[in-house]
Amino acid sequence: MGEITPAYAALAPEDVTQVRALLGPARILYIIRDPMERMWSQATKDMPRRTGLPLAHLDDAALLDFVQQDHCRRRTAYAAALANWQRVFGAENVLLLFFDDLARAPEDVVDALDHFLGLSPAGRAGPVPLPGRLNSYRQGGEVPPMGTAKYLAQVSLEEIAALRALGLTAPALGHWEQRAQAALTGRL
């Protein structure tokens, strides 16, 4: 069984406990992406729906207000979410993966998933086909306005620090940090 939504990252510890009560023992796959990209993706998807305006007609103040709201920020609180899920399901039952790795080397990610689930890779039919990036600020030329970009960069740096405080050292964190520093200096 599987389900996917960034909303699971926003669940309070007692809600994760309720998920455990409903599912029983389970293996949790937690894929995280660049915090700037995740929040901007949510803004580019939700703001036009909410306002009825194309993204290009929304000003920096409106976009900044949106990404600063709790519902957007909490879905990017990766370190807190990871700690919640590991506490309830056990660290050995939660696999953290990075979207960057999935986009760069999907076969390696599938191998890691096979190992985590105790599956044999021999049953796989071949290479893992994946589409290109979807809903990315780097796709279609839409980039956050400067004020929004700087806020996203600051949130990203805070989240990277929180993940590193948990002992994570993945290359993706360095890439995210470079993007955030570029945004802070206006080089997005």
Side-chain angles (χ1 to χ4, degrees):
M1 176 169 72
E3 173 59 18
I4 183 170
T5 176
Y8 289 125
L11 291 177
E14 58 273 12
D15 296 325
V16 176
T17 300
Q18 182 63 30
V19 170
R20 171 66 192 246
L22 292 170
L23 292 180
R27 304 289 235 156
I28 306 299
L29 173 62
Y30 189 33
I31 303 174
I32 60 176
R33 69 191 277 200
D34 181 327
M36 288 181 62
E37 284 192 12
R38 205 227 54 80
M39 293 178 77
W40 182 241
S41 174
Q42 185 177 353
T44 62
K45 181 182 69 128
D46 291 353
M47 283 297 287
R49 286 184 197 165
R50 289 180 181 200
T51 64
L53 297 172
L55 188 65
H57 292 145
L58 297 170
D59 65 12
D60 196 11
L63 291 164
L64 183 58
D65 178 66
F66 178 84
V67 297
Q68 288 176 330
Q69 293 177 20
D70 189 56
H71 69 87
C72 191
R73 177 62 184 94
R74 284 183 42 212
R75 293 175 182 202
T76 313
Y78 300 145
L82 181 61
N84 285 340
W85 287 88
Q86 287 179 334
R87 191 170 26 259
V88 173
F89 282 88
E92 70 282 0
N93 292 315
V94 179
L95 177 63
L96 175 66
L97 296 171
F98 294 84
F99 183 80
D100 299 50
D101 296 334
L102 184 60
R104 181 185 48 76
E107 288 82 10
D108 292 346
V109 172
V110 171
D111 287 344
L113 185 56
D114 285 342
H115 179 75
F116 175 68
L117 296 174
L119 301 174
S120 169
R124 214 174 317 131
V128 180
L130 290 176
R133 285 189 172 268
L134 302 175
N135 248 3
S136 171
Y137 69 77
R138 288 181 274 172
Q139 180 179 340
E142 295 288 353
V143 296
M146 188 56 64
T148 302
K150 286 184 175 187
Y151 173 78
L152 295 175
Q154 189 57 47
V155 168
S156 186
L157 291 171
E158 290 168 6
E159 195 53 42
I160 291 164
L163 289 166
R164 286 188 170 142
L166 294 177
L168 298 177
T169 59
L173 298 177
H175 299 139
W176 299 352
E177 188 170 40
Q178 289 172 352
R179 289 182 201 138
Q181 292 294 348
L184 285 175
T185 58
R187 296 176 293 141
L188 187 61

